[in-house]
Amino acid sequence: MSNFENLRKRAKLYKRWHLDRYYPVAAEIRRWLPRYSGLNDRQILDCAFKLADAQELVAAKEGFESWTALKQGLTLMNTPQQTKASTPTFIDAQPQLFVRDIGSSCDFYVGKLGFGLAFTYGKPAFYAQVFRGAVRLNLRSVDMPFLHPDFRLHEEDALSATITLDDAKALFLEYTRAEVPFHQGLRIEPWGAQTFIVRDPDGNLIAFAS
């Protein structure tokens, strides 16, 4: 666990992100503070969010019911008899895909792959997030090719993201009906997994596996 000073700085950072309307922080607020669970990202960023709220968020992520409980817990954990270091718990990962046009990419992931649009950011938009189930993909626009033009000649199957799900075949059939461009069709891997790979308009390869 971080020391108390680092946790204080983290709370101030969350408060500043909310003030700056940094959309990814809305997902963190919704996940860890139940009173925000029914609000979308924009509604959360429109709400008042005080330092005490940010401290409560940090406490919840550290496994405490309140900021006061966190401070008390840190005091106990830092006593001489407390020698065992805690192990960080990974919550999730959000791959970032580099694209040339946010609008076209959102159309593909929403219209073809069945994702929802969490948000777009910027005027014009240069950043967006799409989601389906618990999976979130961040899209970031760039003005030049992210990969060298010859990269695919040498690394044909280099993946940008892998998404696991309970039924790859059902999703493959859904995407076939939607005429999604496949890089690799449905197959059974030597280790038993069912997989297929989709190519997005910018050449990002997204693997789906069950």
Side-chain angles (χ1 to χ4, degrees), residues 25-85:
V25 78
E28 293 289 289
I29 295 171
R30 182 169 48 248
R31 182 186 185 97
W32 294 104
L33 300 180
R35 61 183 175 276
Y36 294 94
S37 61
L39 304 181
N40 62 33
D41 291 346
R42 186 177 298 276
Q43 289 171 327
I44 291 174
L45 295 178
D46 287 341
C47 289
F49 190 72
K50 301 177 181 178
L51 180 59
D53 298 313
Q55 291 172 339
E56 182 183 351
L57 188 156
V58 171
K61 292 188 68 171
E62 294 293 328
F64 294 90
E65 63 181 9
S66 67
W67 185 249
T68 300
L70 182 147
K71 289 193 290 185
Q72 293 173 343
L74 282 179
T75 300
L76 292 175
M77 294 177 69
N78 289 330
T79 55
Q81 63 268 27
Q82 184 68 34
T83 58
K84 183 179 179 180

Side-chain angles (χ1 to χ4, degrees), residues 6-197:
N6 287 338
L7 295 176
R8 286 181 58 197
K9 292 179 180 178
R10 192 188 306 173
K12 291 179 180 179
L13 179 61
Y14 282 132
K15 184 178 184 301
R16 186 168 74 248
W17 279 352
H18 181 274
L19 181 64
D20 292 342
R21 301 188 69 82
Y22 176 57
Y23 270 83
V25 78
E28 293 289 289
I29 295 171
R30 182 169 48 248
R31 182 186 185 97
W32 294 104
L33 300 180
R35 61 183 175 276
Y36 294 94
S37 61
L39 304 181
N40 62 33
D41 291 346
R42 186 177 298 276
Q43 289 171 327
I44 291 174
L45 295 178
D46 287 341
C47 289
F49 190 72
K50 301 177 181 178
L51 180 59
D53 298 313
Q55 291 172 339
E56 182 183 351
L57 188 156
V58 171
K61 292 188 68 171
E62 294 293 328
F64 294 90
E65 63 181 9
S66 67
W67 185 249
T68 300
L70 182 147
K71 289 193 290 185
Q72 293 173 343
L74 282 179
T75 300
L76 292 175
M77 294 177 69
N78 289 330
T79 55
Q81 63 268 27
Q82 184 68 34
T83 58
K84 183 179 179 180
S86 62
T87 301
T89 299
F90 287 19
I91 303 301
D92 69 359
Q94 298 179 8
Q96 179 159 281
L97 308 180
F98 295 97
V99 302
R100 295 299 298 272
D101 184 88
I102 286 293
S104 297
S105 294
C106 288
D107 289 344
F108 175 78
Y109 281 93
V110 174
K112 288 288 189 179
L113 301 191
F115 281 69
L117 179 62
F119 65 83
T120 59
Y121 184 77
K123 294 182 180 180
F126 64 89
Y127 192 84
Q129 185 179 88
V130 294
F131 68 94
R132 182 163 178 173
V135 173
R136 290 179 179 266
L137 299 176
N138 297 324
L139 309 177
R140 176 69 163 86
S141 68
V142 292
D143 294 328
M144 61 184 66
F146 176 63
L147 299 176
H148 189 278
D150 295 334
F151 176 78
R152 291 295 179 195
L153 297 177
H154 303 284
E155 299 292 341
E156 181 180 359
D157 295 326
L159 300 175
S160 296
T162 298
I163 296 173
T164 58
L165 64 158
D166 59 354
D167 192 340
K169 182 177 180 179
L171 187 65
F172 177 76
L173 294 176
E174 173 189 325
Y175 285 174
T176 299
R177 292 190 294 270
E179 299 182 344
V180 169
F182 294 106
H183 174 77
Q184 172 208 299
L186 184 68
R187 73 184 186 192
I188 298 179
E189 304 291 352
W191 53 91
Q194 281 191 322
T195 69
F196 66 90
I197 301 174

